[in-house]
Amino acid sequence: MRTKLFMIKEDESSEEALREAGKCLREGGLVAFPTETVYGLGGDAMNPSSARKIYEAKGRPSDNPLIVHIYRWEDIYGVASRVPGEARIIADAFWPGPLTMILPRADCVPRETTGGLDTVAVRMPSHPAARKLIEYAGGFVAAPSANASGKPSPTKAQYVLEDMDGRIDMILDGGEVGIGLESTIIDLTVTPPQILRPGYVTREMLTETLGRVEVDATILRSDSGQAPKAPGMKYRHYAPKGELTIVAGPMDAVVDYINRQAVMQMAKGEKVGVIGTSEALPLYRADLVKSVGSRLDEVGIGKRLYTILREFDDEGATCIYSEAFSTGGYGQAIMNRLLKAAGHRVVTVGSQGKVSEYVCQMPDKGFG
Ligand code: AMP
Ligand code: MG
């Protein structure tokens, strides 16, 4: 299969490509498209064979459900058998935007799309091209992230092309995405509602809107003894090719530890990469030192994270160290993705520079 690539701009010139892409989806094809979170790999959500093609193109296990994307509120009734009052409240506050709701599945949604579940994930994205594409496709586009399974979600069309060339019909290139981490997922089939995946819409924002909201215990811990409720969260996603270790503790101790490890690893022939904040960046000594942005700008950190992981893959980093980030607010989403990329490998260093432990989970709070 030859994969067609179209540039998408926010003006009339993209209309033709969007209509062609919509037609392709209606006919059972696959189209990767930009959203405000990451690039999605779209198929017709109501067509079981489209869902099967998505799993195949990504190399994704078929028990890992897809998110159904809609472009207008009323279509929620087309995919959910029951729409609780909370759905309307958070849609008013956060849709269109980076928030996915889990609702009871309507019979017309194929089980292939929901990974065999009786619930369905629904999102209304805000990206203008995504919205038009969904409309032209007939209103319901099933889309996971457009990466090959196990790779970081794509923040740029070039990464979609790397993973999907020859495997899908079309890629719409809308430039770099705005957010860079996948949507927040909230389960509205339980009381109180539960966050299954943290994202740009934070727990604090949802609590303010809905009142009590819980967080799935597996989000930041690998030792909670529970299976994650969002099936995708159980897989080791977002994994770079190099072995990634997160180093937590006071900044000077973190820098000192990483530099000493880097010397040792480089002497062994490893190619060492460091993910650092701009505040500490000049202090690192390693083969590849990359700034994830300022510690004060969490939105910027979220936006850079996957791109840096991909760059390390491209540049052949075999051993990667990253600073740790705060786990409150949006930091929860950043640390969730970083922990998964690191297979929950965290080193905690003390203020005297001594390594106090080698742990496999993050405490709930306290990393700055
Ligand atoms: P992706 O956008 O690639 O992360 O894929 C969508 C993710 O949404 C999956 O990995 C699941 O974790 C989650 N998801 C989709 N549908 C459901 C559902 N019905 N219940 C819980 N989680 C879901
Ligand atoms: Mg994904």
Side-chain angles (χ1 to χ4, degrees):
M1 177 190 298
R2 199 176 73 82
T3 302
K4 288 190 197 167
L5 184 66
F6 289 106
M7 300 296 286
I8 293 295
K9 300 203 192 78
E10 280 188 39
D11 59 27
E12 293 303 303
S13 64
S14 303
E15 195 59 24
E16 207 179 312
L18 287 167
R19 284 191 188 277
E20 186 179 333
K23 181 164 172 277
C24 174
L25 289 172
R26 273 186 278 116
E27 290 170 354
L30 299 187
V31 177
F33 60 100
T35 79
E36 67 277 21
T37 56
V38 296
Y39 274 78
L41 176 54
D44 178 356
M46 300 304 182
N47 182 345
S49 113
S50 298
R52 282 192 290 266
K53 283 191 198 168
I54 291 175
Y55 293 120
E56 200 182 307
K58 279 179 65 84
R60 174 180 180 126
S62 59
D63 67 343
N64 190 354
L66 313 175
I67 294 174
V68 179
H69 292 69
I70 57 175
Y71 74 99
R72 54 180 184 187
W73 162 257
E74 55 267 39
D75 286 338
I76 199 169
Y77 299 100
V79 289
S81 61
R82 197 174 56 79
V83 179
E86 290 105 337
R88 184 74 217 213
I89 294 170
I90 52 175
D92 283 344
F94 304 112
W95 274 7
L99 178 72
T100 297
M101 303 180 199
I102 306 297
L103 298 168
R105 179 181 65 92
D107 288 341
C108 57
V109 182
R111 282 183 192 276
E112 283 79 357
T113 297
T114 65
L117 297 175
D118 281 326
T119 51
V120 62
V122 195
R123 174 162 108 84
M124 191 199 293
S126 64
H127 194 292
R131 291 166 66 84
K132 275 207 174 156
L133 175 67
I134 299 163
E135 182 181 352
Y136 296 158
F140 304 98
V141 174
S145 50
N147 52 291
S149 194
K151 292 258 229 139
S153 297
T155 50
K156 299 175 184 175
Q158 87 188 60
Y159 298 138
V160 180
L161 192 65
E162 269 175 35
D163 289 9
M164 294 295 157
D165 195 16
R167 307 177 74 88
I168 62 175
D169 298 279
M170 229 184 255
I171 299 172
L172 303 178
D173 181 351
E176 190 173 3
V177 298
I179 293 176
L181 296 183
E182 306 83 350
S183 60
T184 306
I185 300 181
I186 185 164
D187 186 354
L188 296 183
T189 66
V190 293
T191 310
Q194 193 176 35
I195 295 172
L196 306 187
R197 176 170 78 184
Y200 190 80
V201 176
T202 62
R203 178 192 195 168
E204 290 78 359
M205 289 152 81
L206 287 162
T207 306
E208 201 172 300
T209 315
L210 279 182
R212 202 167 142 225
V213 171
E214 283 182 353
V215 179
D216 183 357
T218 62
I219 278 176
L220 289 179
R221 304 177 72 94
S222 63
D223 67 336
S224 58
Q226 283 172 257
K229 300 220 177 64
M233 301 290 275
K234 74 176 179 242
Y235 295 104
R236 190 182 163 220
H237 260 183
Y238 329 118
K241 288 181 196 149
E243 189 173 271
L244 171 61
T245 304
I246 303 168
V247 185
M251 185 54 69
D252 51 349
V254 168
V255 171
D256 186 56
Y257 177 85
I258 290 178
N259 282 343
R260 279 191 287 138
Q261 291 299 312
V263 169
M264 270 160 42
Q265 297 295 345
M266 289 190 290
K268 282 197 247 165
E270 302 285 345
K271 191 161 186 183
V272 178
V274 174
I275 303 176
T277 48
S278 54
E279 287 82 357
L281 212 70
L283 304 174
Y284 289 113
R285 302 283 172 264
D287 294 309
L288 304 163
V289 178
K290 292 189 188 282
S291 173
V292 73
S294 167
R295 186 156 281 276
L296 303 175
D297 174 19
E298 284 188 327
V299 174
I301 293 174
K303 182 166 171 163
R304 287 277 300 142
L305 184 63
Y306 285 159
T307 304
I308 289 184
L309 292 177
R310 289 256 180 182
E311 285 172 0
F312 277 146
D313 279 354
D314 293 344
E315 291 161 32
T318 57
C319 181
I320 305 167
Y321 295 94
S322 175
E323 293 175 26
F325 304 100
S326 151
T327 56
Y330 188 37
Q332 187 170 68
I334 295 167
M335 278 309 287
N336 168 262
R337 307 311 194 272
L338 197 56
L339 279 161
K340 285 164 78 59
H344 284 261
R345 198 174 18 256
V346 183
V347 172
T348 305
V349 289
S351 53
Q352 308 307 316
K354 82 176 195 297
V355 181
S356 51
E357 55 186 317
Y358 194 80
V359 292
C360 290
Q361 90 263 350
M362 288 291 291
D364 289 338
K365 289 215 164 40
F367 282 79

